[in-house]
Amino acid sequence: MKPIIQVENLNFAYKKGEPILEDVNFLVNNGEILGITGSSGSGKTTLLYILKGIIPHLIKGKLKGNIIIHQMDIKTTKISKLAHSVGMVFQDLNTQLFSNTVREEVEFGLRNLKMDPALANNAMEELHISDLANKAPLNLSMGQKQRVILASIIAMQPKILLLDEPSVHLDSKNRIDLKNWLLELNENKSMTILIASNDSWLIGNMCNEVFHIEGRKVTRKSRSELIEKQSEWVWKNL
Amino acid sequence: MNLNKFSQVWVIIWTYFKISLVIGVQVIVFLQYSAFFHIRWILLLIEITLGFVIRMDVRKLIPLAKFITINLIPIFLIFYFVEYDWINTLVSFGDFIIKILLMLLSVVLFSETTSQYTLLLSLSKIGVPKRIAFIIMNIFSFIPILSEELRSVTLSQKARGYKFRLRNLKPILVPIILSLLDLSINLSISLESRGYEL
């Protein structure tokens, strides 16, 4: 089976002489759930931006290496083309919402990709926001906003889902729901999921393996290995 | 709402009709014909009834109303320094308020009845560049975002002991400008990652 994400010799720096990531090599197979951990400021979001193609196209920086996602080279493919196969949920909630109603927000991506807008109904039902369909997204609570954004991404049915700190605004019940939805998506649609988070509960319950970023290097570690090394990562058993 | 090719055309034509109506209202207000002086009340009444017909949410007008009120106070003083007579000032000021209401209500009615995506579609059909269509689309959702941002920034600065003074606006202005810049960048990234080509 061909790996869905292929990263070779990745080097990145926002400014010359201040490298963020050095010599990064990894492969991700189809249908894996992986966490991305590391202390804040270590480059979790940067790595996700590179995988989504935002970094060479929208945010400038010194990027070297081969990054191939779903048989597309990041450096030559437009972000709007990548939207078919890579969906990303960003950290800041308010900056992703702009429509008058929740339904328009979920249909926006589908219309851009010329998919059937009726797919929005399924996504809204999956995330239990059908009753909010005619409300304004700006007036919702944080947890509801998060679910609206997740629905708008999931509706496009991407192959790879990138989540940047998905659980910061959620309460414990919503966190358990989020975990269950993600596991369901992974099982039913064999979606590859990458979660950048410092939420030890979410990562510990979802991912068997983790990309740990430390000192500009990305290493693939199993969950037990990380628990042994870092005492602050105390995880409940499944 | 599943638009097929045929009904999509009608939606776009309807949007053009609405855009031309809105521009028409602005032109009538600016040209100041004497005929306009007699029909302005009728126009205002028509707009208010239209607002009732589409069951507009009045709460959406509150941030707009605040914004206008803050701006009207200095304008009232300017009118006074032109006329130097309180009664004449009130008359011309009332005239001014009616004009402003006419213009603003027409724009608000338009934004209430048009979805963002239809606006984008109809603008790009007549060859407006996508970047400019993006700006026009965001004008309508900008004022509520601005007022929300203003509220949260003022609250957080007051929590740290800030007192509102006209000559000490820096603690409010700097975070707002920075967060708006941040918002525009992140919004464009988010749109592009959902398949919109900028």
Side-chain angles (χ1 to χ4, degrees):
Chain A
M1 197 170 69
K2 263 197 168 179
I4 197 162
I5 299 177
Q6 214 175 334
V7 176
E8 285 171 358
N9 304 325
L10 167 67
N11 283 283
F12 179 73
Y14 283 111
K15 283 177 196 168
K16 210 176 179 183
E18 292 173 29
I20 308 278
L21 298 167
E22 278 181 345
D23 248 344
V24 178
N25 293 291
F26 61 80
L27 299 175
V28 179
N29 289 320
N30 197 9
E32 276 187 304
I33 303 182
L34 287 163
I36 297 174
T37 60
S39 54
S40 55
S42 61
K44 298 191 292 289
T45 307
T46 308
L47 185 61
L48 286 189
Y49 277 2
I50 292 171
L51 293 179
K52 175 71 195 166
I54 288 168
I55 272 189
H57 295 293
L58 290 182
I59 298 173
K60 297 285 179 259
K62 303 219 172 312
L63 181 73
K64 286 172 194 164
N66 295 325
I67 304 114
I68 291 165
I69 291 184
H70 207 231
Q71 284 115 38
M72 285 182 288
D73 192 349
I74 286 294
K75 285 180 182 170
T76 51
T77 319
K78 274 189 176 179
I79 301 176
S80 41
K81 262 192 180 173
L82 272 171
H84 275 289
S85 41
V86 188
M88 179 162 174
V89 177
F90 297 87
Q91 196 171 355
D92 199 343
L93 298 180
N94 290 331
T95 57
Q96 296 175 64
L97 301 165
F98 66 99
S99 295
N100 286 336
T101 65
V102 169
R103 186 184 295 281
E104 273 173 39
E105 189 70 49
V106 180
E107 284 176 355
F108 176 78
L110 295 169
R111 293 230 166 96
N112 282 329
L113 301 181
K114 306 215 162 54
M115 289 163 85
D116 185 11
L119 285 171
N121 293 330
N122 295 335
M124 287 199 290
E125 263 168 37
E126 260 175 54
L127 292 170
H128 309 295
I129 49 168
S130 306
D131 49 333
L132 305 175
N134 293 321
K135 286 192 176 177
L138 271 176
N139 299 335
L140 299 177
S141 77
M142 283 302 196
Q144 287 169 329
K145 277 181 193 174
Q146 181 108 44
R147 279 184 281 163
V148 171
I149 293 163
L150 265 174
S152 70
I153 301 293
I154 287 169
M156 297 192 285
Q157 299 177 342
K159 282 268 178 286
I160 304 162
L161 187 62
L162 309 174
L163 303 167
D164 194 357
E165 298 280 4
S167 59
V168 267
H169 302 294
L170 300 180
D171 58 0
S172 54
K173 184 191 168 291
N174 276 326
R175 263 200 303 178
I176 297 169
D177 285 346
L178 175 76
K179 185 200 112 193
N180 293 335
W181 292 323
L182 291 178
L183 289 176
E184 251 175 57
L185 278 174
N186 178 256
E187 240 173 59
N188 299 339
K189 290 163 187 168
S190 72
M191 201 182 272
T192 313
I193 301 174
L194 288 176
I195 309 165
S197 178
N198 271 323
D199 182 353
S200 51
W201 182 87
L202 189 74
I203 299 248
N205 278 298
M206 285 192 61
C207 323
N208 288 323
E209 284 184 301
V210 161
F211 288 130
H212 189 66
I213 305 180
E214 202 171 10
R216 302 174 202 147
K217 296 267 190 279
V218 179
T219 40
R220 192 167 177 149
K221 288 181 177 175
S222 67
R223 187 169 44 169
S224 52
E225 207 178 329
L226 206 64
I227 295 172
E228 276 171 21
K229 281 201 173 172
Q230 278 181 297
S231 54
E232 68 259 37
W233 286 79
V234 182
W235 286 325
K236 288 176 206 162
N237 289 324
L238 273 167
Chain B
M1 188 172 65
N2 190 2
L3 299 178
N4 54 32
K5 265 270 157 66
F6 181 73
S7 63
Q8 206 174 35
V9 171
W10 283 109
V11 166
I12 290 173
I13 291 173
W14 175 233
T15 314
Y16 290 147
F17 177 66
K18 280 192 287 189
I19 291 176
S20 49
L21 270 186
V22 170
I23 294 173
V25 169
Q26 318 292 325
V27 169
I28 286 176
V29 170
F30 263 107
L31 285 183
Q32 303 213 342
Y33 287 132
S34 58
F36 161 70
F37 197 77
H38 299 291
I39 61 164
R40 56 188 183 154
W41 288 104
I42 303 167
L43 273 179
L44 197 60
L45 274 177
I46 288 174
E47 281 183 355
I48 291 170
T49 28
L50 269 178
F52 276 113
V53 166
I54 64 164
R55 291 183 188 170
M56 194 165 68
D57 192 357
V58 186
R59 278 172 302 175
K60 278 185 184 170
L61 290 176
I62 292 171
L64 203 65
K66 277 184 197 166
F67 185 74
I68 299 166
T69 336
I70 292 166
N71 280 307
L72 280 186
I73 294 160
I75 291 172
F76 184 74
L77 288 177
I78 292 171
F79 271 86
Y80 177 71
F81 289 127
V82 173
E83 306 267 357
Y84 283 111
D85 176 18
W86 286 111
I87 294 167
N88 275 338
T89 311
L90 270 178
V91 169
S92 50
F93 189 64
D95 192 51
F96 181 74
I97 286 178
I98 291 167
K99 283 177 192 166
I100 290 278
L101 274 180
L102 261 175
M103 286 155 74
L104 275 175
L105 267 178
S106 65
V107 174
V108 169
L109 281 175
F110 175 74
S111 74
E112 279 290 294
T113 53
T114 318
S115 85
Q116 256 89 343
Y117 189 78
T118 350
L119 186 60
L120 269 184
L121 201 69
S122 42
L123 284 177
S124 53
K125 276 271 155 62
I126 43 172
V128 177
K130 286 211 163 185
R131 275 164 199 272
I132 291 168
F134 173 70
I135 294 167
I136 292 172
M137 181 188 83
N138 274 303
I139 288 170
F140 297 114
S141 55
F142 190 73
I143 289 171
I145 291 173
L146 186 67
S147 81
E148 184 79 5
E149 206 73 25
L150 192 67
R151 197 179 58 86
S152 69
V153 168
T154 328
L155 264 179
S156 61
Q157 299 291 29
K158 273 184 182 165
R160 293 195 289 168
Y162 170 76
K163 277 178 189 159
F164 187 83
R165 294 274 180 281
L166 268 181
R167 58 176 181 181
N168 188 15
L169 284 174
K170 198 180 155 196
I172 290 183
L173 283 183
V174 172
I176 281 184
I177 291 169
L178 287 181
S179 71
L180 286 180
L181 282 176
D182 208 38
L183 181 125
S184 63
I185 293 166
N186 285 334
L187 186 62
S188 68
I189 287 177
S190 159
L191 288 196
E192 202 150 359
S193 70
R194 277 188 272 169
Y196 180 72
E197 276 179 61
L198 272 178

